[in-house]
Amino acid sequence: MVGFQHYLALSGILFGLGFYTALSKRNAIVVLMGIEVMFNAVNVAVVAIAKYLLPFSLAGSVASGGEPAYQFLLTGQVFAIFVIAVAAAEVALGLGIVLAIYRARETVDVSQFTLMKE
Amino acid sequence: MSPSELFLLSPEISVALLGGVILLLDLAVKRKGYLAAAALVGLLVPAGFSVGLLIRVGSESTGQLTGVFDTLFIDRFAIYFKFLILAATALVIAASVDYRARLGRFQGEYYGLILFSASGMMLLAAGAELITLFVALELATLPLVALAAFLRDARSTESGLKFLVLSAVSSALLLYGMAFTFGVAGSTWLRDIGQVLSGASQETGAPFGSYALMLGIALMVAGFGFKIASVPFQMWVPDVYEGSPTPVTAYLSVASKAAGFAVLLRVFYVALGSADLRVEWGTLFAVLSVLSMSVGNLVAIAQSNIKRMLAYSTVAHAGYLLVGVAAVARAGPSDSLGPSGVLFYLATYTLTNLTAFFVIIAIVNKTGSEVIEDFAGMGRRAPWLALALAISMVSLIGVPPTGGFIGKVYIFSAAVRHDLAWLALAGVINSVVSVYYYMRVVRALYVLPSASQERVPSSLPLRWALGITAIGTVFLGLLPTHLLRFAQEAARILTS
């Protein structure tokens, strides 16, 4: 039976893989892919939390402003949707900069971007 | 959402709209000089709305309004940062006029991006909920990334890519931290999180009460640490500062940092402010503070490029500011000495650092070199610019009669009052070390001989902006009372 721990473990593994990719790969496009994986690891975590944990923690009713609790059951999913939108903006900007850097340098190898080292 | 709630959001909305208007205006006008003027005049609108909100909040007994589905706090704390960010934005826009030649035909986009980023920063200081804070953070950061790469030459794009990758990684860390905190508390509203965490028993023996919460807090510290340029998350700072257009560097070093500290104070005080948690993250910030000032100061000594030197100096100043945050942690429920010190220090730091960067814009425009020794002889070639730069360096060291002095005294006395005398001592020792590299700039200005005797030209808007920041720096050193009182009132919201 797949439960909360499995989702959380999946999210942790994805996050670790993304982090490793973002910091160790030499191709700028692959670095951006690593970042994307990190964001999606977060999405897995928040949606799992919303599905498995939220109904219990809301039983004590800490809902803000005294509104009915069912609205807050969706917080995790809403969180994920915002993360997806922001990640898309991030990647669009990233690809734009990679394109500009390719025009200036004719390479996307991040290990060669050392103009400003002392 | 009712019209009255729209009023609560009006400063941010009007700044973002102004950005759009500037973009459209760029298509219509031939003389691009009007764009900066239009942006400056337009910024009076959000400033007016902020004054209106200040009056509205003043009539409230709690001093705080929440609105837009409870995702925003409107209080003196948020309004203090609205004014700070609006002022920094206006000054940077005025000083950008001298940089116009290098922006080419994309001036509308340039001013537009600055304004979009400003609206994100203002939201960041007002956010009352984690998702809102995340979106505001990205709204503040992404335009700055585009601005860092704006020149589209090899250096600028390189700094843009480094900024983008590291800021994206840090936002992912921050998000993961928010996810864990959300999981522990069951809510993304800062106040709810605060209630749940102070009610939960902390008897599990794990640090911070539970390992999940500890992981969440550690990851959030990493995310915010990037934003405020604290060690060990400072590695992006020197390269991005050096490669970005100078007005963007100036903007990044003050507005972005101020917004970062605003959100840091808000999240840690409102959501994680229960007494036993405070002791834990207070110690964490004290350690980061010592590391930041030591690393920043020691590496700054070795720099020859002035923008790079100021980049490490900003890391050191993040350390001084974190002294105030660490003192927050040990404060009693109604003691706001630490946070009000941070608020005041941010205002003086904004004026001081903008002064330095504005002078650099003017001088580098003429000489084309950012090497400190090439500022030689400016005491004679450009007496007023040199004087302003000297004032700024003196204020960065923290010598009277400048705002930097008052800020440091205030923040260090908060540390002493909260049994963190060792931290204040570390701060003082670091200030002494910093004398060396700041005075090197002053020495270049007045002592070193220069080959050329040519005057350094500067535009009228830049001179005005520079006058305001330089005089403001000295003014805050002589008459800090009014701003201090505003800062104290603003910080009281966090502790009440």
PDB file of all heavy atoms in Angstrom, chain A residues 11-12 39 49 54 62 64 72 79 86 90 93-94 105 113 115-116 118, chain B residues 70 138 142 145 154 158 162 164 168 175-176 179 186 189 192 239 303 308:
ATOM      1  N   SER A  11       9.549  12.466  -2.953  1.00  0.00           N
ATOM      2  CA  SER A  11       9.843  13.893  -3.040  1.00  0.00           C
ATOM      3  C   SER A  11      11.274  14.176  -2.614  1.00  0.00           C
ATOM      4  O   SER A  11      11.989  14.944  -3.269  1.00  0.00           O
ATOM      5  CB  SER A  11       8.828  14.641  -2.172  1.00  0.00           C
ATOM      6  OG  SER A  11       9.393  15.795  -1.662  1.00  0.00           O
ATOM      7  N   GLY A  12      11.712  13.520  -1.533  1.00  0.00           N
ATOM      8  CA  GLY A  12      13.083  13.733  -1.064  1.00  0.00           C
ATOM      9  C   GLY A  12      14.103  13.297  -2.097  1.00  0.00           C
ATOM     10  O   GLY A  12      15.085  13.996  -2.367  1.00  0.00           O
ATOM     11  N   PHE A  39      11.704  21.901  -8.114  1.00  0.00           N
ATOM     12  CA  PHE A  39      10.375  22.502  -7.911  1.00  0.00           C
ATOM     13  C   PHE A  39       9.298  21.422  -7.888  1.00  0.00           C
ATOM     14  O   PHE A  39       8.370  21.475  -7.089  1.00  0.00           O
ATOM     15  CB  PHE A  39      10.073  23.523  -9.007  1.00  0.00           C
ATOM     16  CG  PHE A  39      10.685  24.871  -8.737  1.00  0.00           C
ATOM     17  CD1 PHE A  39      11.631  25.417  -9.591  1.00  0.00           C
ATOM     18  CD2 PHE A  39      10.320  25.596  -7.625  1.00  0.00           C
ATOM     19  CE1 PHE A  39      12.196  26.656  -9.337  1.00  0.00           C
ATOM     20  CE2 PHE A  39      10.868  26.835  -7.358  1.00  0.00           C
ATOM     21  CZ  PHE A  39      11.811  27.359  -8.217  1.00  0.00           C
ATOM     22  N   ILE A  49       1.064  16.217   1.480  1.00  0.00           N
ATOM     23  CA  ILE A  49       0.711  16.768   2.793  1.00  0.00           C
ATOM     24  C   ILE A  49      -0.763  17.134   2.832  1.00  0.00           C
ATOM     25  O   ILE A  49      -1.487  16.829   3.788  1.00  0.00           O
ATOM     26  CB  ILE A  49       1.593  17.991   3.113  1.00  0.00           C
ATOM     27  CG1 ILE A  49       3.013  17.542   3.439  1.00  0.00           C
ATOM     28  CG2 ILE A  49       1.024  18.781   4.284  1.00  0.00           C
ATOM     29  CD1 ILE A  49       4.022  18.663   3.474  1.00  0.00           C
ATOM     30  N   LEU A  54      -3.450  17.150   6.174  1.00  0.00           N
ATOM     31  CA  LEU A  54      -4.278  18.314   6.449  1.00  0.00           C
ATOM     32  C   LEU A  54      -5.594  17.990   7.148  1.00  0.00           C
ATOM     33  O   LEU A  54      -5.974  18.689   8.081  1.00  0.00           O
ATOM     34  CB  LEU A  54      -4.513  19.100   5.150  1.00  0.00           C
ATOM     35  CG  LEU A  54      -4.386  20.604   5.303  1.00  0.00           C
ATOM     36  CD1 LEU A  54      -3.174  20.974   6.116  1.00  0.00           C
ATOM     37  CD2 LEU A  54      -4.318  21.253   3.928  1.00  0.00           C
ATOM     38  N   VAL A  62      -7.835  25.470  13.055  1.00  0.00           N
ATOM     39  CA  VAL A  62      -7.035  26.670  13.201  1.00  0.00           C
ATOM     40  C   VAL A  62      -7.296  27.587  12.014  1.00  0.00           C
ATOM     41  O   VAL A  62      -6.557  28.524  11.766  1.00  0.00           O
ATOM     42  CB  VAL A  62      -5.530  26.336  13.262  1.00  0.00           C
ATOM     43  CG1 VAL A  62      -5.208  25.659  14.548  1.00  0.00           C
ATOM     44  CG2 VAL A  62      -5.124  25.482  12.076  1.00  0.00           C
ATOM     45  N   SER A  64      -8.048  30.256   9.447  1.00  0.00           N
ATOM     46  CA  SER A  64      -7.943  31.698   9.646  1.00  0.00           C
ATOM     47  C   SER A  64      -9.282  32.381   9.416  1.00  0.00           C
ATOM     48  O   SER A  64     -10.031  32.013   8.521  1.00  0.00           O
ATOM     49  CB  SER A  64      -6.903  32.248   8.682  1.00  0.00           C
ATOM     50  OG  SER A  64      -6.865  33.633   8.776  1.00  0.00           O
ATOM     51  N   PHE A  72      -9.599  25.179   3.294  1.00  0.00           N
ATOM     52  CA  PHE A  72      -8.171  25.046   3.562  1.00  0.00           C
ATOM     53  C   PHE A  72      -7.649  23.675   3.201  1.00  0.00           C
ATOM     54  O   PHE A  72      -6.454  23.468   3.117  1.00  0.00           O
ATOM     55  CB  PHE A  72      -7.907  25.367   5.035  1.00  0.00           C
ATOM     56  CG  PHE A  72      -8.261  26.787   5.343  1.00  0.00           C
ATOM     57  CD1 PHE A  72      -9.527  27.125   5.777  1.00  0.00           C
ATOM     58  CD2 PHE A  72      -7.338  27.785   5.124  1.00  0.00           C
ATOM     59  CE1 PHE A  72      -9.860  28.442   6.022  1.00  0.00           C
ATOM     60  CE2 PHE A  72      -7.663  29.096   5.367  1.00  0.00           C
ATOM     61  CZ  PHE A  72      -8.932  29.429   5.810  1.00  0.00           C
ATOM     62  N   PHE A  79      -1.085  25.619  -3.613  1.00  0.00           N
ATOM     63  CA  PHE A  79       0.351  25.844  -3.480  1.00  0.00           C
ATOM     64  C   PHE A  79       1.069  25.281  -4.716  1.00  0.00           C
ATOM     65  O   PHE A  79       1.864  25.967  -5.383  1.00  0.00           O
ATOM     66  CB  PHE A  79       0.835  25.120  -2.209  1.00  0.00           C
ATOM     67  CG  PHE A  79       2.095  25.684  -1.599  1.00  0.00           C
ATOM     68  CD1 PHE A  79       2.292  25.603  -0.223  1.00  0.00           C
ATOM     69  CD2 PHE A  79       3.084  26.268  -2.378  1.00  0.00           C
ATOM     70  CE1 PHE A  79       3.443  26.112   0.353  1.00  0.00           C
ATOM     71  CE2 PHE A  79       4.241  26.767  -1.806  1.00  0.00           C
ATOM     72  CZ  PHE A  79       4.419  26.687  -0.441  1.00  0.00           C
ATOM     73  N   VAL A  86       5.128  29.654 -11.310  1.00  0.00           N
ATOM     74  CA  VAL A  86       6.374  30.394 -11.087  1.00  0.00           C
ATOM     75  C   VAL A  86       7.551  29.678 -11.746  1.00  0.00           C
ATOM     76  O   VAL A  86       8.428  30.307 -12.347  1.00  0.00           O
ATOM     77  CB  VAL A  86       6.619  30.604  -9.580  1.00  0.00           C
ATOM     78  CG1 VAL A  86       8.028  31.096  -9.334  1.00  0.00           C
ATOM     79  CG2 VAL A  86       5.612  31.575  -9.020  1.00  0.00           C
ATOM     80  N   GLU A  90      10.263  31.069 -14.405  1.00  0.00           N
ATOM     81  CA  GLU A  90      11.693  30.959 -14.121  1.00  0.00           C
ATOM     82  C   GLU A  90      12.431  30.349 -15.315  1.00  0.00           C
ATOM     83  O   GLU A  90      13.486  30.827 -15.729  1.00  0.00           O
ATOM     84  CB  GLU A  90      11.845  30.070 -12.878  1.00  0.00           C
ATOM     85  CG  GLU A  90      13.169  30.163 -12.225  1.00  0.00           C
ATOM     86  CD  GLU A  90      13.058  30.664 -10.796  1.00  0.00           C
ATOM     87  OE1 GLU A  90      12.115  30.287 -10.098  1.00  0.00           O
ATOM     88  OE2 GLU A  90      13.920  31.459 -10.416  1.00  0.00           O
ATOM     89  N   LEU A  93      12.607  32.641 -18.419  1.00  0.00           N
ATOM     90  CA  LEU A  93      13.681  33.624 -18.254  1.00  0.00           C
ATOM     91  C   LEU A  93      15.040  32.959 -18.411  1.00  0.00           C
ATOM     92  O   LEU A  93      15.945  33.491 -19.078  1.00  0.00           O
ATOM     93  CB  LEU A  93      13.549  34.267 -16.868  1.00  0.00           C
ATOM     94  CG  LEU A  93      14.530  35.376 -16.531  1.00  0.00           C
ATOM     95  CD1 LEU A  93      14.392  36.500 -17.526  1.00  0.00           C
ATOM     96  CD2 LEU A  93      14.273  35.872 -15.130  1.00  0.00           C
ATOM     97  N   GLY A  94      15.174  31.761 -17.828  1.00  0.00           N
ATOM     98  CA  GLY A  94      16.444  31.049 -17.896  1.00  0.00           C
ATOM     99  C   GLY A  94      16.834  30.758 -19.335  1.00  0.00           C
ATOM    100  O   GLY A  94      17.977  30.992 -19.741  1.00  0.00           O
ATOM    101  N   ARG A 105      28.838  34.129 -26.429  1.00  0.00           N
ATOM    102  CA  ARG A 105      29.996  33.272 -26.160  1.00  0.00           C
ATOM    103  C   ARG A 105      30.108  32.065 -27.073  1.00  0.00           C
ATOM    104  O   ARG A 105      31.131  31.389 -27.076  1.00  0.00           O
ATOM    105  CB  ARG A 105      29.882  32.708 -24.737  1.00  0.00           C
ATOM    106  CG  ARG A 105      29.943  33.716 -23.654  1.00  0.00           C
ATOM    107  CD  ARG A 105      31.373  33.896 -23.241  1.00  0.00           C
ATOM    108  NE  ARG A 105      31.445  34.698 -22.054  1.00  0.00           N
ATOM    109  CZ  ARG A 105      31.456  34.198 -20.819  1.00  0.00           C
ATOM    110  NH1 ARG A 105      31.389  32.915 -20.615  1.00  0.00           N
ATOM    111  NH2 ARG A 105      31.535  35.005 -19.794  1.00  0.00           N
ATOM    112  N   PHE A 113      32.176  29.774 -17.708  1.00  0.00           N
ATOM    113  CA  PHE A 113      31.696  31.120 -17.391  1.00  0.00           C
ATOM    114  C   PHE A 113      32.458  31.644 -16.183  1.00  0.00           C
ATOM    115  O   PHE A 113      31.948  31.720 -15.075  1.00  0.00           O
ATOM    116  CB  PHE A 113      30.187  31.113 -17.121  1.00  0.00           C
ATOM    117  CG  PHE A 113      29.388  30.683 -18.315  1.00  0.00           C
ATOM    118  CD1 PHE A 113      28.106  30.195 -18.175  1.00  0.00           C
ATOM    119  CD2 PHE A 113      29.924  30.779 -19.590  1.00  0.00           C
ATOM    120  CE1 PHE A 113      27.371  29.803 -19.270  1.00  0.00           C
ATOM    121  CE2 PHE A 113      29.182  30.378 -20.694  1.00  0.00           C
ATOM    122  CZ  PHE A 113      27.914  29.887 -20.536  1.00  0.00           C
ATOM    123  N   LEU A 115      34.480  34.664 -16.230  1.00  0.00           N
ATOM    124  CA  LEU A 115      35.052  35.968 -16.564  1.00  0.00           C
ATOM    125  C   LEU A 115      35.406  36.762 -15.317  1.00  0.00           C
ATOM    126  O   LEU A 115      36.267  37.624 -15.349  1.00  0.00           O
ATOM    127  CB  LEU A 115      34.027  36.778 -17.360  1.00  0.00           C
ATOM    128  CG  LEU A 115      34.090  36.695 -18.869  1.00  0.00           C
ATOM    129  CD1 LEU A 115      33.049  37.618 -19.457  1.00  0.00           C
ATOM    130  CD2 LEU A 115      35.470  37.083 -19.346  1.00  0.00           C
ATOM    131  N   MET A 116      34.687  36.506 -14.237  1.00  0.00           N
ATOM    132  CA  MET A 116      34.800  37.400 -13.081  1.00  0.00           C
ATOM    133  C   MET A 116      35.360  36.684 -11.869  1.00  0.00           C
ATOM    134  O   MET A 116      34.815  36.744 -10.795  1.00  0.00           O
ATOM    135  CB  MET A 116      33.442  37.993 -12.762  1.00  0.00           C
ATOM    136  CG  MET A 116      32.951  38.900 -13.853  1.00  0.00           C
ATOM    137  SD  MET A 116      31.290  39.465 -13.595  1.00  0.00           S
ATOM    138  CE  MET A 116      30.363  38.026 -14.057  1.00  0.00           C
ATOM    139  N   GLU A 118      38.525  35.986  -9.147  1.00  0.00           N
ATOM    140  CA  GLU A 118      39.801  36.533  -8.668  1.00  0.00           C
ATOM    141  C   GLU A 118      40.438  35.558  -7.715  1.00  0.00           C
ATOM    142  O   GLU A 118      39.759  34.849  -7.009  1.00  0.00           O
ATOM    143  CB  GLU A 118      39.589  37.872  -7.946  1.00  0.00           C
ATOM    144  CG  GLU A 118      39.342  38.988  -8.932  1.00  0.00           C
ATOM    145  CD  GLU A 118      39.254  40.335  -8.208  1.00  0.00           C
ATOM    146  OE1 GLU A 118      40.189  40.666  -7.474  1.00  0.00           O
ATOM    147  OE2 GLU A 118      38.268  41.031  -8.401  1.00  0.00           O
TER     148      GLU A 118
ATOM    149  N   ASP B  70      -6.941  37.647   3.757  1.00  0.00           N
ATOM    150  CA  ASP B  70      -6.001  37.536   4.883  1.00  0.00           C
ATOM    151  C   ASP B  70      -4.571  37.259   4.455  1.00  0.00           C
ATOM    152  O   ASP B  70      -3.760  36.790   5.248  1.00  0.00           O
ATOM    153  CB  ASP B  70      -6.443  36.434   5.862  1.00  0.00           C
ATOM    154  CG  ASP B  70      -7.655  36.867   6.660  1.00  0.00           C
ATOM    155  OD1 ASP B  70      -7.814  38.077   6.839  1.00  0.00           O
ATOM    156  OD2 ASP B  70      -8.430  35.989   7.076  1.00  0.00           O
ATOM    157  N   GLU B 138       9.354  35.780  -5.884  1.00  0.00           N
ATOM    158  CA  GLU B 138       9.727  35.563  -7.289  1.00  0.00           C
ATOM    159  C   GLU B 138       9.447  36.804  -8.117  1.00  0.00           C
ATOM    160  O   GLU B 138      10.208  37.129  -9.030  1.00  0.00           O
ATOM    161  CB  GLU B 138       8.972  34.362  -7.852  1.00  0.00           C
ATOM    162  CG  GLU B 138       9.382  33.059  -7.230  1.00  0.00           C
ATOM    163  CD  GLU B 138      10.855  32.748  -7.432  1.00  0.00           C
ATOM    164  OE1 GLU B 138      11.385  32.999  -8.523  1.00  0.00           O
ATOM    165  OE2 GLU B 138      11.491  32.275  -6.481  1.00  0.00           O
ATOM    166  N   LEU B 142      12.745  37.764 -10.196  1.00  0.00           N
ATOM    167  CA  LEU B 142      12.881  37.491 -11.633  1.00  0.00           C
ATOM    168  C   LEU B 142      13.174  38.747 -12.451  1.00  0.00           C
ATOM    169  O   LEU B 142      14.056  38.723 -13.314  1.00  0.00           O
ATOM    170  CB  LEU B 142      11.639  36.751 -12.154  1.00  0.00           C
ATOM    171  CG  LEU B 142      11.504  35.322 -11.628  1.00  0.00           C
ATOM    172  CD1 LEU B 142      10.290  34.633 -12.215  1.00  0.00           C
ATOM    173  CD2 LEU B 142      12.745  34.500 -11.925  1.00  0.00           C
ATOM    174  N   VAL B 145      16.778  39.469 -12.139  1.00  0.00           N
ATOM    175  CA  VAL B 145      17.627  38.583 -12.941  1.00  0.00           C
ATOM    176  C   VAL B 145      17.724  39.120 -14.376  1.00  0.00           C
ATOM    177  O   VAL B 145      18.809  39.212 -14.949  1.00  0.00           O
ATOM    178  CB  VAL B 145      17.047  37.153 -12.942  1.00  0.00           C
ATOM    179  CG1 VAL B 145      17.807  36.281 -13.923  1.00  0.00           C
ATOM    180  CG2 VAL B 145      17.099  36.555 -11.560  1.00  0.00           C
ATOM    181  N   ALA B 154      29.050  39.587 -22.655  1.00  0.00           N
ATOM    182  CA  ALA B 154      29.475  38.335 -22.017  1.00  0.00           C
ATOM    183  C   ALA B 154      29.386  38.412 -20.499  1.00  0.00           C
ATOM    184  O   ALA B 154      28.881  37.506 -19.836  1.00  0.00           O
ATOM    185  CB  ALA B 154      30.901  38.012 -22.450  1.00  0.00           C
ATOM    186  N   GLU B 158      26.568  36.494 -18.145  1.00  0.00           N
ATOM    187  CA  GLU B 158      27.128  35.518 -17.208  1.00  0.00           C
ATOM    188  C   GLU B 158      26.607  35.775 -15.800  1.00  0.00           C
ATOM    189  O   GLU B 158      26.207  34.851 -15.090  1.00  0.00           O
ATOM    190  CB  GLU B 158      28.655  35.591 -17.228  1.00  0.00           C
ATOM    191  CG  GLU B 158      29.291  34.581 -16.298  1.00  0.00           C
ATOM    192  CD  GLU B 158      30.811  34.639 -16.318  1.00  0.00           C
ATOM    193  OE1 GLU B 158      31.368  34.838 -17.412  1.00  0.00           O
ATOM    194  OE2 GLU B 158      31.429  34.506 -15.258  1.00  0.00           O
ATOM    195  N   LYS B 162      24.232  33.230 -13.535  1.00  0.00           N
ATOM    196  CA  LYS B 162      24.611  32.805 -12.186  1.00  0.00           C
ATOM    197  C   LYS B 162      23.531  33.195 -11.177  1.00  0.00           C
ATOM    198  O   LYS B 162      23.166  32.417 -10.295  1.00  0.00           O
ATOM    199  CB  LYS B 162      25.941  33.445 -11.781  1.00  0.00           C
ATOM    200  CG  LYS B 162      27.119  32.754 -12.425  1.00  0.00           C
ATOM    201  CD  LYS B 162      28.413  33.433 -12.084  1.00  0.00           C
ATOM    202  CE  LYS B 162      29.572  32.663 -12.710  1.00  0.00           C
ATOM    203  NZ  LYS B 162      30.821  33.431 -12.701  1.00  0.00           N
ATOM    204  N   LEU B 164      20.352  33.714 -11.817  1.00  0.00           N
ATOM    205  CA  LEU B 164      19.144  32.928 -12.033  1.00  0.00           C
ATOM    206  C   LEU B 164      19.277  31.545 -11.406  1.00  0.00           C
ATOM    207  O   LEU B 164      18.394  31.103 -10.666  1.00  0.00           O
ATOM    208  CB  LEU B 164      18.847  32.783 -13.523  1.00  0.00           C
ATOM    209  CG  LEU B 164      17.628  31.904 -13.750  1.00  0.00           C
ATOM    210  CD1 LEU B 164      16.376  32.738 -13.729  1.00  0.00           C
ATOM    211  CD2 LEU B 164      17.707  31.098 -14.998  1.00  0.00           C
ATOM    212  N   ALA B 168      17.183  30.431  -8.214  1.00  0.00           N
ATOM    213  CA  ALA B 168      16.182  29.377  -8.384  1.00  0.00           C
ATOM    214  C   ALA B 168      16.438  28.236  -7.410  1.00  0.00           C
ATOM    215  O   ALA B 168      15.499  27.709  -6.803  1.00  0.00           O
ATOM    216  CB  ALA B 168      16.196  28.869  -9.820  1.00  0.00           C
ATOM    217  N   LEU B 175      11.133  26.831  -0.723  1.00  0.00           N
ATOM    218  CA  LEU B 175       9.832  26.193  -0.924  1.00  0.00           C
ATOM    219  C   LEU B 175       9.739  24.878  -0.177  1.00  0.00           C
ATOM    220  O   LEU B 175       8.705  24.564   0.424  1.00  0.00           O
ATOM    221  CB  LEU B 175       9.655  25.891  -2.407  1.00  0.00           C
ATOM    222  CG  LEU B 175       8.905  26.877  -3.250  1.00  0.00           C
ATOM    223  CD1 LEU B 175       8.828  26.354  -4.652  1.00  0.00           C
ATOM    224  CD2 LEU B 175       7.507  27.064  -2.698  1.00  0.00           C
ATOM    225  N   TYR B 176      10.830  24.099  -0.234  1.00  0.00           N
ATOM    226  CA  TYR B 176      10.822  22.817   0.458  1.00  0.00           C
ATOM    227  C   TYR B 176      10.682  23.057   1.959  1.00  0.00           C
ATOM    228  O   TYR B 176       9.964  22.330   2.651  1.00  0.00           O
ATOM    229  CB  TYR B 176      12.108  22.060   0.132  1.00  0.00           C
ATOM    230  CG  TYR B 176      11.934  20.564   0.061  1.00  0.00           C
ATOM    231  CD1 TYR B 176      10.767  20.019  -0.458  1.00  0.00           C
ATOM    232  CD2 TYR B 176      12.919  19.691   0.493  1.00  0.00           C
ATOM    233  CE1 TYR B 176      10.588  18.664  -0.530  1.00  0.00           C
ATOM    234  CE2 TYR B 176      12.755  18.320   0.424  1.00  0.00           C
ATOM    235  CZ  TYR B 176      11.589  17.809  -0.088  1.00  0.00           C
ATOM    236  OH  TYR B 176      11.409  16.458  -0.151  1.00  0.00           O
ATOM    237  N   ALA B 179       7.167  23.841   2.625  1.00  0.00           N
ATOM    238  CA  ALA B 179       6.345  22.638   2.556  1.00  0.00           C
ATOM    239  C   ALA B 179       6.391  21.890   3.886  1.00  0.00           C
ATOM    240  O   ALA B 179       5.354  21.453   4.392  1.00  0.00           O
ATOM    241  CB  ALA B 179       6.817  21.746   1.415  1.00  0.00           C
ATOM    242  N   GLY B 186       0.022  22.586   9.393  1.00  0.00           N
ATOM    243  CA  GLY B 186      -1.269  22.388   8.760  1.00  0.00           C
ATOM    244  C   GLY B 186      -1.864  23.645   8.178  1.00  0.00           C
ATOM    245  O   GLY B 186      -3.031  23.691   7.830  1.00  0.00           O
ATOM    246  N   TRP B 189      -0.874  30.149   6.689  1.00  0.00           N
ATOM    247  CA  TRP B 189      -1.000  31.498   7.245  1.00  0.00           C
ATOM    248  C   TRP B 189      -0.038  31.671   8.408  1.00  0.00           C
ATOM    249  O   TRP B 189      -0.026  30.845   9.337  1.00  0.00           O
ATOM    250  CB  TRP B 189      -2.432  31.744   7.697  1.00  0.00           C
ATOM    251  CG  TRP B 189      -3.286  32.234   6.582  1.00  0.00           C
ATOM    252  CD1 TRP B 189      -3.595  33.527   6.296  1.00  0.00           C
ATOM    253  CD2 TRP B 189      -3.935  31.447   5.580  1.00  0.00           C
ATOM    254  NE1 TRP B 189      -4.382  33.590   5.165  1.00  0.00           N
ATOM    255  CE2 TRP B 189      -4.603  32.336   4.707  1.00  0.00           C
ATOM    256  CE3 TRP B 189      -3.998  30.082   5.302  1.00  0.00           C
ATOM    257  CZ2 TRP B 189      -5.336  31.901   3.603  1.00  0.00           C
ATOM    258  CZ3 TRP B 189      -4.711  29.651   4.212  1.00  0.00           C
ATOM    259  CH2 TRP B 189      -5.375  30.565   3.384  1.00  0.00           C
ATOM    260  N   ASP B 192      -1.531  31.476  11.907  1.00  0.00           N
ATOM    261  CA  ASP B 192      -1.962  30.127  12.298  1.00  0.00           C
ATOM    262  C   ASP B 192      -0.771  29.267  12.661  1.00  0.00           C
ATOM    263  O   ASP B 192      -0.797  28.523  13.641  1.00  0.00           O
ATOM    264  CB  ASP B 192      -2.732  29.470  11.151  1.00  0.00           C
ATOM    265  CG  ASP B 192      -4.049  30.169  10.899  1.00  0.00           C
ATOM    266  OD1 ASP B 192      -4.440  30.985  11.745  1.00  0.00           O
ATOM    267  OD2 ASP B 192      -4.676  29.896   9.865  1.00  0.00           O
ATOM    268  N   ASP B 239      30.014  38.042  -8.146  1.00  0.00           N
ATOM    269  CA  ASP B 239      29.921  37.974  -9.603  1.00  0.00           C
ATOM    270  C   ASP B 239      28.735  38.760 -10.136  1.00  0.00           C
ATOM    271  O   ASP B 239      28.843  39.461 -11.141  1.00  0.00           O
ATOM    272  CB  ASP B 239      29.808  36.511 -10.056  1.00  0.00           C
ATOM    273  CG  ASP B 239      31.135  35.798  -9.946  1.00  0.00           C
ATOM    274  OD1 ASP B 239      32.113  36.459  -9.549  1.00  0.00           O
ATOM    275  OD2 ASP B 239      31.198  34.598 -10.236  1.00  0.00           O
ATOM    276  N   GLN B 303      40.098  42.777  -2.505  1.00  0.00           N
ATOM    277  CA  GLN B 303      39.503  43.124  -3.799  1.00  0.00           C
ATOM    278  C   GLN B 303      40.129  44.383  -4.404  1.00  0.00           C
ATOM    279  O   GLN B 303      40.468  45.323  -3.700  1.00  0.00           O
ATOM    280  CB  GLN B 303      37.998  43.346  -3.643  1.00  0.00           C
ATOM    281  CG  GLN B 303      37.272  42.167  -3.061  1.00  0.00           C
ATOM    282  CD  GLN B 303      37.508  40.889  -3.825  1.00  0.00           C
ATOM    283  OE1 GLN B 303      37.527  40.894  -5.044  1.00  0.00           O
ATOM    284  NE2 GLN B 303      37.732  39.806  -3.117  1.00  0.00           N
ATOM    285  N   ARG B 308      33.161  44.864  -6.719  1.00  0.00           N
ATOM    286  CA  ARG B 308      33.377  43.596  -6.036  1.00  0.00           C
ATOM    287  C   ARG B 308      33.652  43.825  -4.552  1.00  0.00           C
ATOM    288  O   ARG B 308      33.190  43.066  -3.695  1.00  0.00           O
ATOM    289  CB  ARG B 308      34.570  42.902  -6.686  1.00  0.00           C
ATOM    290  CG  ARG B 308      34.311  41.468  -7.013  1.00  0.00           C
ATOM    291  CD  ARG B 308      35.484  40.845  -7.715  1.00  0.00           C
ATOM    292  NE  ARG B 308      35.505  39.436  -7.391  1.00  0.00           N
ATOM    293  CZ  ARG B 308      34.748  38.527  -7.982  1.00  0.00           C
ATOM    294  NH1 ARG B 308      33.933  38.895  -8.960  1.00  0.00           N
ATOM    295  NH2 ARG B 308      34.800  37.274  -7.639  1.00  0.00           N
TER     296      ARG B 308
END
